[in-house]
Amino acid sequence: MKTFELRNRRYLGSKRAVLPVIAQVVSALPTAPKTAADIFAGTGVVGQSLARAGLAVTVNDLLSSNTTVYRAFFGAEPVRGERLAELVHEINTVAIDVLAPNYFSTTFRDTYYSEPNARLIGHYRERIEQWHAAGTLNERERAVLIASLLYGMDKAAATVGHYDAYREGAASEARLVFGLPELESFDVPHTVTRQDANQLVRERHWDLVYMDPPYNSRQYGDLYHVLDNVTDWQQGPVQFKARKMDRRHLKSDYCTTAAVPAFTDLIDAVDTSTIIMSYNDTGARGNSRSAARLSDTDILTVLERRGRVDVVDVPHREFTTGKSGIGDIVERLFVCHVETPPFDPSTGSERRKLKERKGRSERAGSATPASVQVEAAEAAPVTVRSPLNYTGNKKRLVADIMPLLPPPGAGHDRFVDVFSGSMTVGMNAGYDRVAFNDVQVDVVGLGRLFGQVPYPEIIAEVEAIIDRYGLSDSQRHGYDAYGANSSNGLGRVNKDAYLRLRTDFNRMDSADRDRPYYFFTLVVFGFNNQIRYNRSGEFNMPVGKRDFNSRVRKNLFDTVTRMHQLQAELWTLDFRDVFGKLATTDLVYCDPPYLLGTAPYNEQNAWTVDDETDLLDGLAGFAARGGVFGLSNVLTHKGSEHDQLSNWATEHGFVVHTLDYSYANSSYQRKDRNASTEVLITNWTP
């Protein structure tokens, strides 16, 4: 069985070459440290070196692939080497040609890896989860096998050492062979964390802190996205030619113009006796992406506020993609012998200024990853966008609507979305129990599909339909392959295939198992992802400009994830019948077709004055029973007044909340800036 060491990885800025100098610096300290932290650990080799010297080490990084590797090498749980060797042998000897396609093979085939090797990678990852779920592996053994997979992938990837791009046609056809890590025993326990470094240093003390922050604009989250994708195994959507996941939550200030305030905050907060920092001041050398974000002057100015600083130069050839043109440069170790405690934010004027700068940075969207994640969740509760693009859907308003309605637990345990449509409000309402109702059977069928079938299975079915009909796949091939561009779109390319698909769908039996997949594919390739039927009940939306692109896949992934989390009920009732199923503990939300509107779903008089009257009477009756509701509608539209609605709200004493949004720019409207006044009417006051 082949083996590998922790250092056997291709990694941007690896510190293998400077380990001897770091060891000399540590050994020369007047007081031998007992605890240490490697807070931007990367490959983890510095942390390993400190651990071998007998220190208790905290190894930290934001990338899940890195921290999983650390758990394999630094974990305390026992590892059954012979058992793991048997499992890896199974993978190394399985016949690839009998393996079924999987998420990894359909996503990454013929990019960084050949199709057979991509299929093997996906199979190995699936087997790891199966073994772990069956109790065959403990947590550390699971991490060991994921490390086995990652190191095997890294050795064979058709890249220049990271995954910002792949070399066209260079994927090796030689079969991947996986090994096991060379594990070692340590006398003291170690800790693995996955945290924003600026937050981590506020939580504990170490005798020594080593820091090796990013030097330039290359975001590590983007450079190693494939390895993180395999590690997390969420099987989510990817985008761009490089097949990247959404990595915005991993963006680091140290790669931006906010590097100086981020570094100042880090040094102000760290609680330690010694700081050792690696950095290369590339200045203006090389291309703009390679230019350092911190200058030597910046570093010295900040460090000297905490204590005396020594600088050690280490001749070192930097990692390069071959284009930066920097050549041999000097790696610098800045050694700060800390003399002052961390700055007290209640008294340190410089800290207050820093926090003000940081606050401005966060409002501009460039905060450190951890703060972005937390604050974004609090400020923007709408986290799920449906792949169904209903005209008038409340994706921009749900954050304004929900605070005007009772929260979960305030006497209400089920959210009932009576006209659910795209399901946007129900998914983002914050309730665990949600009833989605819509008279459109195919739409409700998609709700069931999203709530019952895993995302990769949906993707596989939709991609099979795309291949069967010869529809475009710009996610994989780009616009150029079809002689098109983003501006003109793909309507011309897809029109004939789309019409064949639409015809076949309209002939399908309502109970056909494939109907939801065909319907979703039609919506994806249809005009503006919208839904419309003719008088005969046939889907008749024309072809659109887009296809199954990264945006739609991301929205689908988020929707499927949320629907699997909910206790969802799917109804296909006339709204009048819904009122007979309601309890006063239900929170009822209605977003009916608007009498004053002309959206596609309200064509052919689908919603009449009688319908409006019945709905208003039903809501008034529910309120009289002690129920609580919210009703979305418009009071004015293009100069017309909805007197019936206004008079009804006044008669019953309901509260009318005006919402700051207009549908003036919707595709079915003329561009009229005063098109409508959107309101939410409730019988509950916040």
Side-chain angles (χ1 to χ4, degrees), residues 61-65 194-196 214 218-225 228-229 232 245-255 367-370 372-373:
D61 202 273
L62 272 179
L63 301 191
S64 60
S65 52
R194 184 186 178 197
Q195 262 185 278
D196 170 36
R218 298 180 187 274
Q219 294 277 356
Y220 280 69
D222 290 334
L223 296 176
Y224 299 99
H225 63 95
D228 266 16
N229 193 328
D232 297 335
M245 303 175 293
D246 186 348
R247 313 290 282 164
R248 285 173 292 183
H249 63 289
L250 292 176
K251 299 299 183 184
S252 172
D253 273 357
Y254 293 93
C255 300
T368 56
V372 167
Q373 286 180 290

Side-chain angles (χ1 to χ4, degrees), residues 176 227 330 346 454 556 627:
L176 279 176
L227 301 184
V330 173
S346 65
L556 174 62

Side-chain angles (χ1 to χ4, degrees), residues 181-210:
E182 297 181 10
L183 304 180
E184 54 191 300
S185 299
F186 297 102
D187 294 332
V188 295
H190 305 293
T191 304
V192 174
T193 57
R194 184 186 178 197
Q195 262 185 278
D196 170 36
N198 285 51
Q199 180 60 39
L200 177 64
V201 298
R202 287 171 158 78
E203 298 179 359
R204 62 190 75 179
H205 166 87
W206 300 274
D207 298 333
L208 167 70
V209 173
Y210 172 76

Side-chain angles (χ1 to χ4, degrees), residues 21 42 74 210 262 281 293 297 317 344 351 353 412 414 424 458 494 545 572 578 590-591 602-603 608 621:
V21 182
F74 297 103
Y210 172 76
D281 181 6
R293 294 300 181 180
T297 301
R317 179 181 293 275
D344 184 345
R351 172 66 66 84
K353 292 177 183 177
H412 301 84
R414 182 174 66 174
T424 297
I458 298 173
N494 287 319
K545 294 173 59 175
T572 55
V578 170
C590 295
D591 183 24
N602 198 24
E603 293 178 352
T608 66

Side-chain angles (χ1 to χ4, degrees), residues 92-405:
N92 284 335
T93 56
V94 68
I96 297 180
D97 56 358
V98 303
L99 299 179
N102 51 59
Y103 166 77
F104 195 86
S105 68
T106 56
T107 304
F108 293 103
R109 64 175 180 259
D110 300 324
T111 57
Y112 306 94
Y113 306 95
S114 65
E115 198 279 337
N117 278 333
R119 191 173 296 196
L120 180 61
I121 290 168
H123 171 73
Y124 190 3
R125 189 64 185 86
E126 288 174 347
R127 291 294 284 149
I128 292 172
E129 290 308 298
Q130 291 165 4
W131 290 326
H132 184 251
T136 303
L137 305 172
N138 63 35
E139 289 296 330
R140 187 184 180 194
E141 289 170 336
R142 175 179 177 271
V144 167
L145 291 187
I146 293 176
S148 163
L149 173 58
L150 298 180
Y151 275 70
M153 291 172 58
D154 183 64
K155 188 175 181 62
T159 70
V160 293
H162 56 70
Y163 298 82
D164 209 19
Y166 57 87
R167 293 181 288 136
E168 296 274 3
S172 173
E173 296 296 331
R175 177 186 175 123
L176 279 176
V177 178
F178 301 100
L180 282 171
E182 297 181 10
L183 304 180
E184 54 191 300
S185 299
F186 297 102
D187 294 332
V188 295
H190 305 293
T191 304
V192 174
T193 57
R194 184 186 178 197
Q195 262 185 278
D196 170 36
N198 285 51
Q199 180 60 39
L200 177 64
V201 298
R202 287 171 158 78
E203 298 179 359
R204 62 190 75 179
H205 166 87
W206 300 274
D207 298 333
L208 167 70
V209 173
Y210 172 76
M211 50 187 69
D212 180 27
Y215 296 171
N216 51 47
S217 67
R218 298 180 187 274
Q219 294 277 356
Y220 280 69
D222 290 334
L223 296 176
Y224 299 99
H225 63 95
V226 175
L227 301 184
D228 266 16
N229 193 328
V230 170
T231 300
D232 297 335
W233 205 235
Q234 294 181 344
Q235 303 180 62
V238 296
Q239 56 187 341
F240 313 125
K241 185 176 181 180
R243 309 288 197 270
K244 293 181 179 181
M245 303 175 293
D246 186 348
R247 313 290 282 164
R248 285 173 292 183
H249 63 289
L250 292 176
K251 299 299 183 184
S252 172
D253 273 357
Y254 293 93
C255 300
T256 73
T257 55
V260 172
F263 177 63
T264 305
D265 178 59
L266 179 72
I267 299 304
D268 281 359
V270 65
D271 186 3
T272 187
S273 302
T274 304
I275 300 169
I276 300 178
M277 178 180 175
S278 294
Y279 210 78
N280 292 329
D281 181 6
T282 57
R285 290 172 287 173
N287 60 41
S288 60
R289 293 190 68 191
S290 299
R293 294 300 181 180
L294 297 174
S295 68
D296 288 354
T297 301
D298 294 329
I299 296 170
L300 287 169
T301 299
V302 174
L303 286 176
E304 286 174 347
R305 294 169 55 202
R306 295 297 307 275
R308 177 174 57 84
V309 180
D310 297 326
V311 181
V312 181
D313 287 347
V314 185
H316 177 52
R317 179 181 293 275
E318 89 294 350
F319 179 97
T320 172
T321 61
K323 297 180 180 179
S324 64
I326 301 172
D328 287 320
I329 59 178
V330 173
E331 177 92 16
R332 288 190 172 89
L333 293 183
F334 297 84
V335 184
C336 179
H337 305 276
V338 178
E339 299 166 349
T340 63
F343 287 173
D344 184 345
S346 65
T347 60
S349 59
E350 294 191 29
R351 172 66 66 84
R352 286 197 295 271
K353 292 177 183 177
L354 169 68
K355 292 180 72 175
E356 291 171 2
R357 291 196 301 269
K358 188 173 179 59
R360 290 194 294 271
S361 175
E362 289 172 355
R363 289 190 291 274
S366 60
T368 56
S371 60
V372 167
Q373 286 180 290
V374 173
E375 295 188 11
E378 294 174 351
V382 182
T383 58
V384 178
R385 289 198 173 190
S386 171
L388 309 180
N389 187 28
Y390 266 67
T391 300
N393 81 71
K394 296 299 180 287
K395 64 186 178 184
R396 294 184 179 89
L397 279 176
V398 67
D400 297 324
I401 289 171
M402 291 316 302
L404 302 176
L405 293 170

